[in-house]
Amino acid sequence: MTPPAGPPPLSGRRRTGLGGLLRPRSSRTFVLGLCMSVGGLGGGVRAAMDGEGIWRALGTFGVGLLGLALTVVWVMTYARER
């Protein structure tokens, strides 16, 4: 009997959709999260001290908090898999 035509079945641990976004596995995600958190939190403090405006400071703080959340999720995923 010959195998059916078409692409081979997916193998490995690929995640698609929202599940793949909520469980980052790449070390690039960790580095991106660190850069976002340091730059965002530092930039938010700098913008607030320079009097750039509340929206600019809050937006920059938001980027920092998003980076911090991304880093924490990566560390939790890493610890769970190891």
Side-chain angles (χ1 to χ4, degrees), residues 6-8 14-15 18 25 30 35 38 42 52 54 57 66 74 77:
R14 287 187 176 178
R15 293 195 187 266
L18 191 59
R25 288 185 170 81
F30 179 70
C35 291
V38 169
E52 292 287 329
I54 189 71
L66 182 66
W74 187 90
T77 302

Side-chain angles (χ1 to χ4, degrees), residues 52-67:
E52 292 287 329
I54 189 71
W55 294 114
R56 183 174 297 229
L58 286 178
T60 312
F61 271 125
V63 170
L65 292 177
L66 182 66

Side-chain angles (χ1 to χ4, degrees), residues 5-31:
L10 293 176
S11 62
R13 297 181 351 186
R14 287 187 176 178
R15 293 195 187 266
T16 58
L18 191 59
L21 293 175
L22 293 178
R23 295 187 182 179
R25 288 185 170 81
S26 173
S27 61
R28 294 177 185 169
T29 305
F30 179 70
V31 172

